[in-house]
Amino acid sequence: MTLIYFILILGIVVLVHEFGHFIFAKKSGVYVYEFSIGMGPRLFKWTRKNDETEYSLRLLPIGGYCQLAGEEIDDDESVPKDKKFAKKTFGQKMMIAFAGIMNNFILAIILLFLIAIFNGAPQNKALVGEISEGFPSYTSGLQEGDEILTINGRDASSNDLLALELQVNVGKTIDMEVERNGEVLEFTIEPKKVKIDGEETYKYGFVINDEVKHGLWASIVYSFTKTLSLLWQMVLMVFYLCTGQLGLSSLAGPVGIFSVVGSAAAGGIWSLVSFTALISINVGFINLLPIPAFDGGRIFFLIAEKIKGRPVDPKFENTVHAVGFFLLMLLMILITYNDILRLL
């Protein structure tokens, strides 16, 4: 079942992403060679009447693509020039490139809204909940209901930012600023080393308030604020990775995602829905980065083309994307190796 959930989650997220590119390409009159879910060897394909596009399902459920005319290195003379991506307006090309990212964010917002409307909208402020006796948080003077503002001088005012800062500072003593009855207080808390399921870890001894609100408006607010909060968390993660404050072990590839799917499935259907929303935001965010072979890389070249006032050499651009894709595959292999080591 974990494998089935894994394929379904990645399949849905990729399908939604690629459909964004596909539908805007079609609306802009771009010739679409292939719309594929999955990578690697093709399992089967089908076509529709009066439609040039081949629809494919491929073996590896780790991605997908929408192949457009005008993106290839060698010019395809069989396709009319006005139906090629490169001949479209700047606005049309930007919309086609951005549509997949937009669809991923929309999917996440819809899924988070469904979670909130059926189960209640969790509050996202970093409010201290229960404090365990015998742990540093209890003896420090921290109290239930305190609103956490910063950890070591960095913003930790939401659950997502707090989780990230605790991950960055795992095992370290933290300086915490909290607000209590309008007054800002400071606490220094040293973690306690404990064993959980035979593994050593560090605990400060407090949990976050998990109060939920009900209603249509609360659900709408939660779906948007949670999406933005997770996006900002990902921006900071990239910064921490670049500055060495987080290692590559913090990232997960397909093997790592597969292992997390099993844990999410154990939590029930809504846990899986929440995980799907998180994966969708991740895919949208990664594609927003100006990395060759991703949508952000294409958007970067489109902006460069607009600034220059003339098209970027297609051969140069495609070569950059090809090199970028090769380097990304090397990174994926390294991340997958780390995932396997963690499982072992």
Side-chain angles (χ1 to χ4, degrees):
M1 287 305 299
T2 298
L3 178 60
I4 292 172
Y5 292 141
F6 174 77
I7 293 172
L8 280 175
I9 289 172
L10 284 187
I12 289 169
V13 170
V14 171
L15 175 64
V16 167
H17 181 95
E18 294 303 324
F19 184 73
H21 297 312
F22 173 78
I23 197 67
F24 277 93
K26 286 288 191 182
K27 284 186 174 294
S28 301
V30 176
Y31 190 100
V32 182
Y33 292 112
E34 183 180 358
F35 179 82
S36 173
I37 300 301
M39 305 287 280
R42 179 187 282 165
L43 298 178
F44 61 88
K45 67 175 181 178
W46 66 98
T47 56
R48 300 188 307 166
K49 189 177 180 181
N50 300 322
D51 184 358
E52 78 278 357
T53 306
E54 289 185 347
Y55 300 88
S56 304
L57 183 65
R58 294 180 179 269
L59 180 63
L60 304 176
I62 57 171
Y65 58 87
C66 182
Q67 188 181 5
L68 311 179
E71 291 184 316
E72 65 276 359
I73 294 177
D74 297 322
D75 189 33
D76 186 353
E77 296 182 357
S78 67
V79 177
K81 287 188 176 181
D82 63 336
K83 291 182 72 69
K84 294 181 179 179
F85 177 79
K87 298 299 180 181
K88 298 302 175 180
T89 66
F90 174 76
Q92 287 174 320
K93 289 187 287 188
M94 282 291 288
M95 198 62 236
I96 293 169
F98 183 72
I101 299 167
M102 178 183 69
N103 271 18
N104 280 132
F105 294 156
I106 291 173
L107 173 63
I109 289 168
I110 291 171
L111 293 178
L112 291 171
F113 173 78
L114 290 174
I115 292 169
I117 204 73
F118 284 104
N119 299 282
Q123 64 84 24
N124 200 35
K125 287 185 178 179
L127 298 175
V128 177
E130 183 181 348
I131 301 175
S132 304
E133 289 190 38
F135 279 89
S137 295
Y138 188 85
T139 55
S140 71
L142 194 68
Q143 294 182 8
E144 186 174 342
D146 287 348
E147 182 177 346
I148 299 172
L149 303 177
T150 66
I151 297 289
N152 290 346
R154 290 172 173 162
D155 185 10
S157 56
S158 73
N159 291 342
D160 303 306
L161 293 181
L162 174 63
L164 177 60
E165 293 305 328
L166 290 178
Q167 182 183 358
V168 171
N169 294 284
V170 63
K172 300 176 183 177
T173 299
I174 57 172
D175 295 320
M176 180 187 293
E177 278 191 352
V178 306
E179 184 177 331
R180 182 189 301 167
N181 300 322
E183 183 182 1
V184 176
L185 305 173
E186 295 183 4
F187 299 97
T188 298
I189 306 175
E190 183 179 350
K192 183 178 180 180
K193 186 184 289 187
V194 296
K195 273 195 173 184
I196 299 177
D197 297 330
E199 291 188 13
E200 288 189 344
T201 186
Y202 293 89
K203 291 187 71 174
Y204 294 95
F206 69 90
V207 296
I208 294 301
N209 185 306
D210 58 358
E211 178 186 353
V212 299
K213 295 181 180 180
H214 295 274
L216 179 61
W217 179 246
S219 300
I220 292 172
V221 171
Y222 169 75
S223 64
F224 281 91
T225 56
K226 183 66 173 178
T227 299
L228 291 173
S229 177
L230 287 169
L231 278 171
W232 181 236
Q233 183 196 55
M234 292 172 195
V235 170
L236 292 176
M237 282 193 72
V238 171
F239 172 74
Y240 291 154
L241 283 165
C242 292
T243 56
Q245 296 173 73
L246 283 176
L248 285 179
S249 59
S250 304
L251 302 178
V255 174
I257 294 172
F258 178 83
S259 64
V260 177
V261 167
S263 302
I269 184 63
W270 292 113
S271 179
L272 280 172
V273 173
S274 178
F275 184 69
T276 304
L278 177 62
I279 292 296
S280 191
I281 294 171
N282 266 275
V283 170
F285 173 74
I286 290 171
N287 274 280
L288 196 56
L289 298 175
I291 300 173
F294 281 149
D295 297 334
R298 298 196 178 278
I299 290 171
F300 175 82
F301 274 104
L302 287 173
I303 294 173
E305 177 182 303
K306 186 68 174 178
I307 293 172
K308 285 176 60 180
R310 66 179 189 275
V312 176
D313 182 359
K315 290 187 177 181
F316 171 74
E317 181 180 347
N318 281 285
T319 301
V320 171
H321 289 310
V323 172
F325 183 76
F326 175 74
L327 294 175
L328 284 170
M329 288 302 99
L330 291 180
L331 177 62
M332 181 67 73
I333 292 169
L334 177 59
I335 292 171
T336 302
Y337 174 74
N338 287 334
D339 287 341
I340 293 170
L341 286 183
R342 275 199 295 268
L343 287 176
L344 294 176

